[in-house]
Amino acid sequence: MDAQGPRYSIVVPVFDEEGAAAALALEIAAAFAGEAFEIIFVDDASRDGTRAALADLQPGTPELRILAHARNAGQSRAIRTGVLAARGPVIVTLDGDGQNDPADAPALARALEAGPARLGLIGGERRERKDRAAKRWASRLANGVRRRLLRDRAADTGCGLKAMRREAFLRLPYFDHMHRYLPALMLREGYEIDFWVVNHRPRLAGRSKYSNLGRLWAAVSDLGGVMWLTSRARDPGPIEEASSKHLSQREREGPIGLAQQGRGEGEGLRS
């Protein structure tokens, strides 16, 4: 790690991923070799040996940090825990099941870092998903409805591989399942977003933590909430820090001074 701290913080939420977590951590370390980075696995109260498997890697992987929730709090909370603890200005997230390819992650991180400050997020889009047909169909339907209602231009918000500015993420309102609405929330806050095609791999261990019915139930209530948040947003336009030498006489007096001036002029005319 660089003496000034990492450039990139890779945040991976995990829950009962004993069979995938350790191999994924080593892949991430190999992908970012030569960079100043840290890897933060957030164990969301796993019931298996996930934490122990990761801890065994730490002597040979100094970039690896392990944070642990006392109670299961969900993927969005685990991501937020990792981002709050992160020391790098650029955050990269990956799902803990190993289906996101760590080899794609450095390119997204560098592109975000090199982009304008208003670019808040680059999201991955899985073009050749290695999931069951029912899961792909449900995801396609949900993405289509969400994209039409939120106008977030995102074809695949369920892809866990994303690069984002830490500062931008921390400006967003937190709620459970917010990780599925990051593009819309970034746009709401005034940031720009982009999307890159990424690889997707079959799950080699463990099982999905979400059912199609469970996703649908959460999506209905969450979508309504995000639509409300978006409707209540107000854009102040470009924000500048003013100094006295740049203020005109009119701006110095402000609304109160101008109102007093107007009253004085009116009184003079009436006398």
Side-chain angles (χ1 to χ4, degrees):
M1 187 182 299
D2 190 277
Q4 297 181 343
R7 291 168 59 191
Y8 309 127
S9 295
I10 299 89
V11 174
V12 186
V14 285
F15 175 60
D16 289 352
E17 296 291 357
E18 180 181 5
L24 178 59
L26 292 176
E27 281 193 276
I28 294 171
F32 282 90
E35 303 283 3
F37 71 99
E38 64 178 353
I39 307 170
I40 303 174
F41 271 73
V42 182
D43 178 18
D44 191 25
S46 292
R47 301 158 297 185
D48 62 3
T50 297
R51 199 180 311 174
L54 289 168
D56 287 342
L57 295 180
Q58 283 187 309
T61 314
E63 302 88 358
L64 176 60
R65 300 168 61 191
I66 306 167
L67 306 179
H69 286 173
R71 292 183 297 275
N72 182 266
Q75 187 171 346
S76 286
R77 179 70 253 190
I79 290 172
R80 183 171 174 81
T81 294
V83 175
L84 287 169
R87 297 188 287 254
V90 172
I91 304 294
V92 177
T93 62
L94 296 95
D95 287 339
D97 57 15
Q99 289 194 268
N100 299 139
D101 191 344
D104 291 325
L108 268 67
R110 295 183 193 116
L112 182 76
E113 186 179 45
R118 63 182 180 276
L119 179 61
L121 175 145
I122 298 179
E125 287 188 357
R126 303 164 292 183
R127 290 291 170 85
E128 297 182 9
R129 292 186 58 175
K130 303 300 190 294
D131 291 317
R132 292 178 294 105
K135 187 174 180 180
R136 293 197 305 271
W137 179 86
S139 180
R140 189 159 52 245
L141 176 63
N143 276 309
V145 172
R146 189 214 64 259
R147 186 167 62 249
R148 178 181 292 271
L149 294 178
L150 297 182
R151 300 185 180 91
D152 61 6
R153 308 194 308 273
D156 184 17
T157 60
C159 180
L161 178 52
K162 295 179 176 70
M164 53 193 168
R165 299 192 190 278
R166 180 177 185 270
E167 173 187 329
F169 178 88
L170 293 177
R171 288 175 179 267
L172 307 181
Y174 167 74
F175 55 90
D176 197 20
H177 300 291
M178 70 170 288
H179 66 281
R180 297 188 178 278
Y181 298 92
L182 288 174
L185 295 173
M186 287 283 181
L187 291 171
R188 176 184 182 272
E189 196 60 32
Y191 288 99
E192 293 181 1
I193 58 177
D194 196 8
F195 302 97
W196 285 33
V197 176
V198 297
N199 187 31
H200 191 239
R201 309 187 297 189
R203 175 186 277 274
L204 298 179
R207 59 184 179 84
S208 176
K209 308 305 185 293
Y210 304 98
S211 66
N212 286 340
L213 184 60
R215 282 192 183 91
L216 177 62
W217 177 254
V220 170
S221 59
D222 293 342
L223 184 57
V226 177
M227 290 173 65
W228 181 86
L229 281 172
T230 302
S231 71
R232 302 301 295 169
R234 300 182 67 179
D235 183 5
I239 300 172
E240 299 179 354
E241 184 169 352
S243 62
S244 59
K245 65 180 180 180
H246 294 136
L247 295 179
S248 66
Q249 183 63 32
R250 190 178 187 87
E251 289 171 324
R252 289 175 190 275
E253 292 171 343
I256 296 177
L258 291 174
Q260 291 173 340
Q261 180 180 342
R263 285 198 297 271
E265 291 172 352
E267 290 166 359
L269 289 172
R270 287 193 298 272
S271 60

